Amino acid sequence: MKTRVKSHAQMPFRVGMLFVLPALLLFSIFILYPLATALSYSFFSWKGTLQGPFVGFDNYVTIFTRAPFDEALPNAFSHNLLLFAGAMIFQNSVGLGIAVALHKIGRLKRLFQTMFAMPYLVSPLVVGYLWSLLLSPLFGPVNATLKAVGLGDFAHPWLGDPNTAIWAIVFITAWQWIGFPMLLYGAALGGIPEEVTEAAEIDGASGSKRFRLITLPLLLPALGTVSILTFIGAMEAFPIPFAVGGSTGSPAGATDVMALLFYRTAFESGDVGSIGNSSALAMVLFLFIFVGAVALRIALARGERKLYG
Amino acid sequence: MRKRLSALGLLGVSALVLAGCAPATPEPTATTQPGTTATAEPVEPVTLSLWSWRTEDVDAYNTIFDVYEAQNPGVTVEFEAFLNTEYNQFLATGLEGSDGPDLAMVRAYGGVQPLIEAGQLLPIDGIVDVSNVEQSLLAAATGRNDGSLYGVPFATQTLQVFYNKGIFDELGVTEPTTWDEFVALNEAIAAGGYTPMALGAKDAWMLPIFHEIVGAARYGGPEFRDALLAGTKDFTDPDYVASIDVVNQMTEYMVDDVIGVAYADSQIQFTSGLAAQFPGGSFELGNFKTQAPDMELGVYLVPPPPGSPSAKPLSAGWGDGSFAINAKTQNQEAAIKLLNWLATPEFGQLFVDEVKQFSVIKGLSYSDPVMKEMNELFLSGPTAYINLVDMRFGDPTGSTLIGEGIQSMFLGDMGASGVADKLQTGISTWFVPGA
């Protein structure tokens, strides 16, 4: 606390502001300003790019009640939630598992970490197209391999069947992002003092007990970060669903997500008032993500306080 | 505070510089154009600007307008192309202010309506001669509310079946002229070990195209469209339902799990010689020629299925964009003269030869034999791709509805009448017949 006061005294408020200014300027121009315009656009009627009169919440009423939104919105939204749930399960089982395993082996840790994090460096659009090629019923190696090893019964039009298509997207997304929770959990595991684990060991705690009572609680901050970022990522998902199912969320809307619905409304609708509707949609999505992320943050902070007193 | 002010000043300066980049009102220059003789009538030099989204065609258009400039001394046509994806914003801003172009390429059908409704385009009924343009395509530039013409369409796309002549020769089969022959042809191809038809059913936008190719004659083409627009029939009409059912019958000539096949995969299926036929749009031609330069391509129209109101096979087409005049242009007379030229066979032929796309002008000659045949097929039975031409003026669009519907049908979740109901219900949220 003392050092913070000291540095505060060395850095006058105005100088501090000067350093913040460039970032603030960029943030205002590229984030805040578009956000404010989208908000204002959503309250007007539109004729192409010509702004019409103020219509209050009409555009919002439209996106919640009128076809195609009345069906498409809940459908797309449920898929976003599914993506979030799927990603959480995958990251906190496989991702955490890999992180723990790598933490234990030590020697080839860096090599494996790099390997698992590799897909994370590739553009999600590329990853999406790559997997749609792998899963193609015509030329895809996945089905070809299944047939070759005598599991032909399991060969499946993965992306053509509405029951598997959305899970394929969950899997592809998880596959790409697995390196991220793995690195975060890895760093958090490295930050747990060995003395604590040793002390528990001396007290006679078994391996699983040590993990449950020592490691897991100390991982909570990392878990919180991963959860919030995953939540935002799942709600905003666009490139992978777009690459896999196209802008309509093929087949028959089975892979539709909120961002695709927004894209269709904004750029493919043919409705002269599409700017109003799509802005309203964007605002609803933003508000949900914002409120959701803040709520998650508060819940996690409470959890941490409870644990650490 | 001073710093902030100077920063604002800097922004102001850059705004001025940007404004300076925008095309200003053309100023008459005193220089005489080469080629004009002293005896010629003195002409006021004029520069016409024309905006476009075809960045890839700048050279072709410059060559074309050189011809016009040579015939019209004193006129300079400045062809300016903008990034396709941002063109609509550029144009809307340009037409709203005073630095807009004299003429511009505008989108077709639903895409041009916002500009028309905002009064930004000059109506050209009676002042531009469009008698050489394929009349069914004028709808691409017609105002939906007032019925006036606002532009001259320039490019068109047509739908038909492409086939691999090599495979047809190997199997000893030929282009079908009746429905029975069409069915027999597909059976023979399947028996020969090839996939009769390549279709990317995973990409919903491809399905309404396929529906038009196999079903246009079954629902009756132009007559059905007239009735639909007048409100005497709708998409739940038995003939239209039957046309969707034709699509369903075709699945036996495709690979299993066609619903999982992506559009790009279906192209490979055809260009790699696994599938003998590809029902598709004229826009495929370039890709087929690059991917399979040695394949000999043929084209035909699907014969009318039994019970069809149309006796002849139909080729659905649509206008892909139009030339229009800015309502605020200072050079209206010269712009009208140029637009008239853009509706002549002379321009059409230059467009075909230089830009290498289908023109909307009748009676042109295509040097490429496949293009020539596609054009003849279209002119032999032209009809409109209804779900693009008429059903993209609102949300949801007709093509999205029928595309998703056909996917549900392929999955077995919906019958043909269910697809038609979905389409009719969806477009009813905004489409009013007879309006």
Side-chain angles (χ1 to χ4, degrees), chain B residues 205-280:
Chain B
W205 65 268
M206 190 63 207
L207 295 168
I209 288 180
F210 181 68
H211 167 253
E212 291 289 349
I213 294 173
V214 296
R218 183 62 191 86
Y219 70 72
E223 286 78 27
F224 174 78
R225 177 171 175 246
D226 290 344
L228 179 79
L229 298 183
T232 52
K233 281 184 182 173
D234 67 17
F235 285 118
T236 60
D237 184 81
D239 282 328
Y240 200 82
V241 173
S243 73
I244 298 174
D245 197 50
V246 172
V247 170
N248 212 14
Q249 293 164 25
M250 290 299 109
T251 48
E252 67 174 294
Y253 304 125
M254 299 165 193
V255 285
D256 296 340
D257 305 329
V258 68
I259 189 77
V261 177
Y263 166 65
D265 287 1
S266 69
Q267 288 177 312
I268 299 169
Q269 245 185 316
F270 182 63
T271 52
S272 66
L274 291 171
Q277 307 174 95
F278 188 101

Side-chain angles (χ1 to χ4, degrees), chain B residues 224-425:
Chain B
F224 174 78
R225 177 171 175 246
D226 290 344
L228 179 79
L229 298 183
T232 52
K233 281 184 182 173
D234 67 17
F235 285 118
T236 60
D237 184 81
D239 282 328
Y240 200 82
V241 173
S243 73
I244 298 174
D245 197 50
V246 172
V247 170
N248 212 14
Q249 293 164 25
M250 290 299 109
T251 48
E252 67 174 294
Y253 304 125
M254 299 165 193
V255 285
D256 296 340
D257 305 329
V258 68
I259 189 77
V261 177
Y263 166 65
D265 287 1
S266 69
Q267 288 177 312
I268 299 169
Q269 245 185 316
F270 182 63
T271 52
S272 66
L274 291 171
Q277 307 174 95
F278 188 101
S282 45
F283 50 85
E284 304 287 355
L285 200 58
N287 176 55
F288 288 165
K289 288 194 163 168
T290 334
Q291 295 303 315
D294 298 330
M295 176 168 66
E296 220 188 316
L297 269 177
V299 280
Y300 71 85
L301 298 181
V302 173
S308 294
S310 172
K312 61 179 181 182
L314 298 174
S315 177
W318 68 94
D320 229 6
S322 318
F323 293 112
I325 298 175
N326 181 352
K328 283 187 192 162
T329 175
Q330 303 292 310
N331 303 306
Q332 194 166 322
E333 203 180 321
I336 291 172
K337 195 174 174 201
L338 176 59
L339 196 59
N340 266 295
W341 186 70
L342 293 170
T344 59
E346 183 188 12
F347 167 75
Q349 193 60 53
L350 284 165
F351 177 82
V352 166
D353 295 341
E354 298 293 335
V355 185
K356 298 191 177 23
Q357 283 189 14
F358 285 99
S359 168
V360 299
I361 312 278
K362 292 179 282 191
L364 303 177
S365 61
Y366 289 84
S367 51
D368 181 295
V370 183
M371 275 183 90
K372 184 169 182 282
E373 197 182 348
M374 283 158 80
N375 188 53
E376 282 163 5
L377 288 176
F378 175 65
L379 294 176
S380 74
T383 182
Y385 171 10
I386 297 177
N387 281 305
L388 182 153
V389 169
D390 302 304
M391 296 299 148
R392 279 201 190 160
F393 295 96
D395 195 9
T397 63
S399 42
T400 306
L401 289 163
I402 191 172
E404 288 184 2
I406 292 175
Q407 284 185 333
S408 300
M409 180 169 76
F410 282 0
L411 290 164
D413 298 339
M414 212 181 249
S417 60
V419 179
D421 285 345
K422 180 187 160 91
L423 175 59
Q424 183 59 37
T425 316

